[in-house]
Amino acid sequence: MRLSRYFLPVLKENPSEAQIVSHRLMLRAGMIKQSAAGIYSWLPLGFKVLRKIETIVHEEQQRAGHIPMLMPTLQSADLWKESGRFDAYGPEMLRIKDRQDRDMLYGPTNEEMITDIFRSHVGSYKDLPMTLYHIQWKFRDEVRPRFGVMRGREFLMKDGYTFDLTKEDALHAYNRHLVTYLRSYERMGLQAIPMRADSGPIGGDDTHEFLVLAETGESEVFYDSQITELKFGDREIDYDSVDQCQAVMEEFTSRYARTDETHDAALFAEVPAERQRSARGIEVGQIFYFGTKYSEPMGATVQGPDGKPVPVHMGSHGIGVSRLLGAIIEASHDDKGIIWPEGVTPFHVGIVNLKQGDDQADAACDALYASLQALGLDPLYDDTKERAGGKFATMDLIGLPWRITVGPRGLKNGVVELTSRRTGESEEMTPEAAVEKIAEIYRGIA
Amino acid sequence: MRLSRYFLPVLKENPSEAQIVSHRLMLRAGMIKQSAAGIYSWLPLGFKVLRKIETIVHEEQQRAGHIPMLMPTLQSADLWKESGRFDAYGPEMLRIKDRQDRDMLYGPTNEEMITDIFRSHVGSYKDLPMTLYHIQWKFRDEVRPRFGVMRGREFLMKDGYTFDLTKEDALHAYNRHLVTYLRSYERMGLQAIPMRADSGPIGGDDTHEFLVLAETGESEVFYDSQITELKFGDREIDYDSVDQCQAVMEEFTSRYARTDETHDAALFAEVPAERQRSARGIEVGQIFYFGTKYSEPMGATVQGPDGKPVPVHMGSHGIGVSRLLGAIIEASHDDKGIIWPEGVTPFHVGIVNLKQGDDQADAACDALYASLQALGLDPLYDDTKERAGGKFATMDLIGLPWRITVGPRGLKNGVVELTSRRTGESEEMTPEAAVEKIAEIYRGIA
């Protein structure tokens, strides 16, 4: 994309309404615009990152055999009356009357609807196991929306639902989800630690939250420092293998890691003192096993091997897709702006032309731009008349992890400058070498 | 995808609530499930086609330099009060009160919101031309929702908004959109004819609707039969060229083609009698130029070349993404089921194993499946124990354009059978030749 043809309304001043750094930087980088309290438009740069995160989530879910679908945003209240949650949910549920005066609501989650789909179409244990998921906008009418997309009212969530014949099978689905979540977060450049959690209004026995460590996190967390050394990495895993998924679960949850809601001071004291840590964390996902909590009242049964009806064991598993943008920025920024991890960066590399209008510089930039695109890469070329300082400030603010700087002086020597946003280090090299290096960095990512 | 691990709840019986063939077939093929009047869940097969259509729309918009973003589903009523449409819109607008008793609405369209974004961030004529678009769920509270996704209440729409300094520039944007729409529909296997239209509640001077001919269409249409011979094809176009876009516009709109709303019997009589046609059509898109209708009351001005503020000339351009699934099926089906055009088919090819459990047949199917996937193709392998007749009926119903049938008898002679869903013609060939032929068919599409 050429910046002169893009819509990137960066702000020079810090917006007064933003209390935390991700909210401030998303506004300043022209990623979002508030349209009502807790409701945002995703401007082009923000939308691009949102789509990248969504794509990673889709890919990792489907790699595990989970099936994508899409449920609507508005729901009839009938199903929620059946489960008993219509009255129980409280004022965070946005209740709506349509023109026929029917009770509707903007879905805050989809347990009832998916259970209804399941019971309408699935009749036999032979159809299990099954995991259906979707990525859809949700609404929770927070009394005090704040922190930008971190606590918005309209937000994008991935929610997946598992259906199994037995508790053992359902716990395998739970473990399998834990693995997919670890992979997803790592691809986004995040370390998200699974912590034992409270089940809240969804209900359930087993549940873990995934927390990203960041000073601005809403939760206080306590953990054994060994946990931050764990990496899922690029290990191969067979998602059908109960043992393999179980082993990952144990590896990542056997050390102490809890939020203030479940913190147990006596247990924590057993962690060697030099490994005890307390910090703040941002919740970016949660997995639940809740057994037959919905299948029993809603009659979601299958015919078991003996011909008798069995209520299915269920779980639900969520990732806060829109919230992740805020979490990534909280975890990865400096005083100049955002620093995108390569896995989610809106553009792979920025090209800064130090002397727009200079024939040689323009030609070199055009050639770089074309070479990068030919390799399937997505560069942002600042081809405006802005002075160099302004161009650098914008690139730093929007956080592209790599920048190629092109100017007449370097070109005389046949070189351009490649700069890492994270380290600030620059290296001179030929344009061809810069293209090759960028291609190498994104091999297996882009 | 192996069918044994998929969720494809096909129905054997015709659902009584469906009056038209696309609704019936989408229910029978397990693509959608109604969750409330005019509100549907997209089951896995339906979601897959929906995403394909969405992807085509994104690609063709971005090819023309239009910039993707995303506005929220819920809007504050304030902007609509500013434009005067909050009271004018009527009961199709779903009005909502949030917990703070603020007036909100579920967006039926986004002219006000995009105009607000524009006026907040764009100040100079130098930033023009600009086209921003999004693909987002909309809600129109139809008094009598029917025909499945063809006239639903919650529906997915692409709506794009153009901002230009002058009327001439805005008309180029209008023509450019016409070209992108022609390309998009052709990639979906549809012929959609641009017809002069009424502007309705959006308002505007110039507007064309795109109509797909189908017996069940909601509009009566009148046209010169020459128009159905036009194809955009794979011609190259420079979207920045006013002349090239203008020429396409003239080519595709100079012959008589109107809906009953704008039909002019006297003009139609000038078409040679043997070329006069009347038929039914389904609206799948509309383009509008509406000048300063929103920019003037909402103060969306830019500084012109002379330093004076100028209200921008705007247009809005919509494609009914979810409705297109219905339109494609209305235009392409037979008494056995759907016939997907290659550009939007949920799976590229079906593999039917005539003797599941037979070592040789299973091995041949596994090899075919792996070869197709290795080429980036997406097969649906019916690996269930269902008898052959049932497998064929399902494949015909869900409408994959190609089917490979594998059985012990053919394998003895080293062949499988490749069948076209559209013509019903079958050909025997080696498995390798079948894979090569499928790859050839999808080259440049998949």
Side-chain angles (χ1 to χ4, degrees):
Chain A
M1 178 61 65
R2 286 168 193 272
L3 188 55
S4 63
R5 306 191 71 156
Y6 201 49
F7 177 51
L8 184 71
V10 298
L11 307 179
K12 293 219 162 48
E13 305 298 325
N14 270 328
S16 57
E17 75 264 36
Q19 300 164 37
I20 62 170
V21 67
S22 60
H23 188 192
R24 203 152 58 226
L25 288 174
M26 287 182 78
L27 289 168
R28 283 198 52 208
M31 295 179 67
I32 52 171
K33 179 182 192 306
Q34 179 170 301
S35 76
I39 304 180
Y40 291 86
S41 283
W42 297 79
L43 302 182
L45 194 76
F47 176 64
K48 222 157 182 284
V49 180
L50 189 69
R51 277 311 272 255
K52 288 221 169 176
I53 292 173
E54 199 183 323
T55 299
I56 289 173
V57 173
H58 268 304
E59 288 176 356
E60 293 304 328
Q61 289 307 303
Q62 290 176 50
R63 195 195 299 275
H66 303 165
I67 306 172
M69 58 174 296
L70 189 63
M71 288 176 271
T73 62
L74 295 199
Q75 306 184 18
S76 158
D78 294 345
L79 291 172
W80 290 71
K81 290 175 179 166
E82 212 179 317
S83 75
R85 285 208 294 179
F86 188 65
D87 294 324
Y89 210 93
E92 285 196 3
M93 179 189 278
L94 185 66
R95 291 149 209 265
I96 299 170
K97 294 266 191 194
D98 72 7
R99 71 191 285 181
Q100 317 278 14
D101 212 35
R102 284 174 293 213
D103 281 325
M104 311 281 294
L105 56 98
Y106 199 121
T109 178
N110 288 70
E111 280 81 8
E112 283 79 359
M113 192 179 279
I114 198 76
T115 305
D116 179 53
I117 289 169
F118 182 88
R119 72 180 172 186
S120 304
H121 290 299
V122 181
S124 163
Y125 75 97
K126 292 179 190 163
D127 296 323
L128 305 182
M130 184 182 290
T131 298
L132 299 169
Y133 78 93
H134 73 158
I135 300 179
Q136 178 61 293
W137 292 91
K138 310 286 191 293
F139 200 91
R140 288 186 193 158
D141 203 355
E142 298 268 355
V143 67
R144 208 152 61 91
R146 58 200 154 134
F147 305 150
V149 302
M150 297 275 282
R151 188 170 292 191
R153 294 197 292 166
E154 187 170 328
F155 61 98
L156 187 61
M157 191 168 100
K158 172 261 165 182
D159 39 327
Y161 303 90
T162 56
F163 302 91
D164 288 278
L165 185 61
T166 64
K167 178 169 181 179
E168 291 65 45
D169 291 351
L171 290 178
H172 170 56
Y174 183 89
N175 294 343
R176 201 174 61 227
H177 275 82
L178 179 126
V179 180
T180 65
Y181 281 27
L182 291 173
R183 284 180 85 132
S184 301
Y185 297 127
E186 280 196 16
R187 283 185 61 187
M188 298 171 199
L190 283 179
Q191 180 168 49
I193 303 171
M195 302 197 181
R196 182 152 295 281
D198 254 0
S199 63
I202 307 275
D205 305 322
D206 281 274
T207 175
H208 281 88
E209 287 180 337
F210 291 78
L211 284 107
V212 172
L213 301 179
E215 280 166 28
T216 48
E218 72 265 290
S219 311
E220 192 172 6
V221 299
F222 303 88
Y223 61 95
D224 177 341
S225 67
Q226 282 193 336
I227 211 161
T228 57
E229 286 150 34
L230 299 173
K231 285 261 177 292
F232 187 83
D234 55 2
R235 57 181 106 171
E236 292 286 323
I237 191 153
D238 174 1
Y239 282 108
D240 290 337
S241 162
V242 171
D243 291 346
Q244 287 187 28
C245 293
Q246 173 73 24
V248 175
M249 161 60 83
E250 283 168 11
E251 178 183 350
F252 281 82
T253 63
S254 58
R255 290 171 190 80
Y256 191 92
R258 296 199 177 191
T259 67
D260 43 9
E261 286 179 339
T262 54
H263 182 51
D264 179 329
L267 264 181
F268 189 50
E270 293 173 17
V271 176
E274 72 279 11
R275 287 177 11 213
Q276 289 179 13
R277 298 282 185 284
S278 74
R280 313 282 314 170
I282 300 169
E283 191 209 324
V284 292
Q286 189 158 3
I287 52 178
F288 296 97
Y289 161 69
F290 49 70
T292 58
K293 176 181 158 82
Y294 296 92
S295 58
E296 288 212 50
M298 294 182 67
T301 60
V302 292
Q303 201 177 45
D306 58 0
K308 287 184 190 150
V310 188
V312 290
H313 285 255
M314 289 176 59
S316 73
H317 309 279
I319 290 183
V321 174
S322 49
R323 148 173 275 239
L324 269 165
L325 276 93
I328 293 169
I329 295 173
E330 292 293 336
S332 184
H333 67 273
D334 62 16
D335 53 7
K336 295 182 195 159
I338 302 164
I339 306 173
W340 291 115
E342 275 83 357
V344 297
T345 182
F347 295 96
H348 295 123
V349 55
I351 302 172
V352 167
N353 187 340
L354 292 178
K355 201 167 178 190
Q356 200 70 39
D358 175 272
D359 286 349
Q360 212 196 348
D362 291 0
C365 287
D366 286 342
L368 270 173
Y369 186 72
S371 305
L372 289 161
Q373 285 194 322
L375 293 170
L377 293 164
D378 188 11
L380 177 67
Y381 169 21
D382 188 343
D383 60 347
T384 65
K385 301 272 186 196
E386 172 90 59
R387 63 187 176 75
K391 289 187 177 187
F392 290 147
T394 296
M395 286 291 177
D396 285 347
L397 174 61
I398 68 171
L400 308 188
W402 298 92
R403 186 185 80 209
I404 301 175
T405 309
V406 179
R409 198 174 310 169
L411 289 176
K412 258 183 210 154
N413 301 318
V415 296
V416 297
E417 194 179 67
L418 181 64
T419 305
S420 159
R421 173 71 180 86
R422 190 169 294 277
T423 65
E425 281 165 23
S426 291
E427 213 184 333
E428 290 198 334
M429 58 185 79
T430 64
E432 295 73 23
V435 169
E436 177 48 39
K437 177 138 187 201
I438 295 292
E440 181 57 35
I441 288 163
Y442 287 102
R443 207 152 282 154
I445 296 178
Chain B
M1 179 60 65
R2 286 167 193 271
L3 187 55
S4 63
R5 307 191 70 154
Y6 201 49
F7 177 51
L8 183 71
V10 299
L11 308 178
K12 292 220 161 49
E13 305 297 325
N14 271 326
S16 57
E17 74 265 35
Q19 299 165 38
I20 62 170
V21 67
S22 60
H23 189 191
R24 203 153 57 227
L25 288 174
M26 288 181 78
L27 290 169
R28 284 199 53 210
M31 295 179 66
I32 53 172
K33 180 182 191 309
Q34 180 170 300
S35 75
I39 304 180
Y40 291 87
S41 283
W42 297 79
L43 303 181
L45 194 76
F47 176 65
K48 223 157 181 282
V49 180
L50 189 70
R51 277 311 271 257
K52 287 222 170 177
I53 291 174
E54 201 183 321
T55 300
I56 289 174
V57 173
H58 268 303
E59 287 176 357
E60 294 304 328
Q61 289 307 302
Q62 290 176 48
R63 195 195 299 277
H66 304 163
I67 305 172
M69 58 174 295
L70 190 63
M71 289 175 271
T73 61
L74 293 200
Q75 306 185 17
S76 157
D78 294 347
L79 290 171
W80 290 71
K81 289 174 179 165
E82 210 179 318
S83 75
R85 286 209 292 179
F86 188 66
D87 294 325
Y89 210 94
E92 285 195 4
M93 178 189 279
L94 185 67
R95 292 149 208 266
I96 300 169
K97 295 265 191 193
D98 72 7
R99 72 191 285 179
Q100 317 277 16
D101 212 38
R102 283 173 293 213
D103 281 325
M104 311 282 294
L105 56 97
Y106 199 121
T109 177
N110 288 69
E111 281 79 7
E112 283 79 0
M113 192 178 280
I114 198 77
T115 305
D116 179 53
I117 288 170
F118 182 87
R119 73 180 173 187
S120 304
H121 291 299
V122 182
S124 163
Y125 74 97
K126 292 178 191 162
D127 296 322
L128 307 182
M130 184 182 292
T131 298
L132 299 169
Y133 78 92
H134 73 159
I135 301 179
Q136 178 60 295
W137 292 92
K138 311 285 192 293
F139 201 90
R140 288 185 193 159
D141 203 355
E142 297 267 355
V143 66
R144 210 153 60 91
R146 58 201 154 133
F147 304 151
V149 301
M150 297 275 282
R151 189 170 293 190
R153 294 198 292 167
E154 185 169 328
F155 60 98
L156 188 61
M157 191 166 101
K158 172 260 163 182
D159 39 326
Y161 302 90
T162 57
F163 302 90
D164 288 279
L165 185 62
T166 64
K167 178 169 182 178
E168 291 66 44
D169 291 350
L171 290 178
H172 170 57
Y174 183 88
N175 295 342
R176 200 173 62 229
H177 274 82
L178 179 124
V179 179
T180 65
Y181 282 26
L182 291 173
R183 285 181 86 132
S184 301
Y185 297 128
E186 280 195 17
R187 283 185 61 188
M188 298 172 201
L190 283 178
Q191 179 168 50
I193 303 171
M195 302 196 181
R196 183 151 294 280
D198 255 0
S199 62
I202 307 275
D205 305 324
D206 282 273
T207 174
H208 282 88
E209 287 178 336
F210 291 78
L211 284 107
V212 171
L213 301 179
E215 281 166 26
T216 48
E218 72 263 288
S219 311
E220 192 172 6
V221 300
F222 303 86
Y223 62 95
D224 177 341
S225 66
Q226 282 192 336
I227 212 160
T228 56
E229 287 151 34
L230 298 174
K231 285 261 177 293
F232 188 82
D234 55 2
R235 55 180 104 170
E236 292 286 322
I237 191 151
D238 174 1
Y239 281 108
D240 290 337
S241 162
V242 170
D243 291 346
Q244 286 187 29
C245 292
Q246 174 72 24
V248 174
M249 161 61 84
E250 284 168 10
E251 178 184 349
F252 280 82
T253 62
S254 58
R255 290 172 190 79
Y256 191 91
R258 296 198 176 190
T259 66
D260 44 8
E261 284 178 342
T262 53
H263 182 50
D264 179 329
L267 263 181
F268 189 50
E270 293 172 18
V271 177
E274 73 278 10
R275 286 173 15 210
Q276 290 177 13
R277 297 282 185 284
S278 75
R280 312 282 315 171
I282 300 169
E283 192 209 325
V284 291
Q286 188 157 5
I287 52 179
F288 297 95
Y289 161 70
F290 49 68
T292 58
K293 178 180 157 77
Y294 296 92
S295 58
E296 288 212 48
M298 294 183 67
T301 60
V302 292
Q303 200 177 46
D306 59 1
K308 288 183 189 150
V310 189
V312 290
H313 286 256
M314 289 177 59
S316 72
H317 310 278
I319 289 183
V321 173
S322 49
R323 147 172 276 239
L324 270 165
L325 276 93
I328 292 169
I329 296 173
E330 292 293 336
S332 184
H333 67 272
D334 63 16
D335 54 7
K336 294 182 197 159
I338 302 165
I339 306 173
W340 290 115
E342 274 83 358
V344 297
T345 183
F347 295 97
H348 295 124
V349 56
I351 302 173
V352 167
N353 188 339
L354 292 178
K355 202 168 178 190
Q356 200 72 37
D358 175 274
D359 286 350
Q360 213 196 346
D362 291 1
C365 287
D366 286 343
L368 269 172
Y369 186 71
S371 305
L372 290 160
Q373 286 193 322
L375 293 170
L377 294 163
D378 188 12
L380 178 67
Y381 170 21
D382 188 343
D383 61 345
T384 64
K385 300 273 186 194
E386 173 91 59
R387 65 187 174 74
K391 289 189 175 185
F392 290 147
T394 297
M395 286 291 178
D396 285 349
L397 174 62
I398 69 171
L400 308 188
W402 298 93
R403 186 185 80 210
I404 302 175
T405 309
V406 179
R409 198 174 310 169
L411 288 176
K412 260 183 209 152
N413 302 317
V415 297
V416 297
E417 195 179 67
L418 181 65
T419 306
S420 159
R421 173 70 181 86
R422 191 170 293 278
T423 66
E425 282 165 23
S426 290
E427 212 183 332
E428 291 196 332
M429 58 185 76
T430 63
E432 295 73 26
V435 169
E436 176 48 41
K437 178 142 185 197
I438 295 293
E440 180 58 35
I441 287 163
Y442 287 101
R443 206 151 282 154
I445 297 178

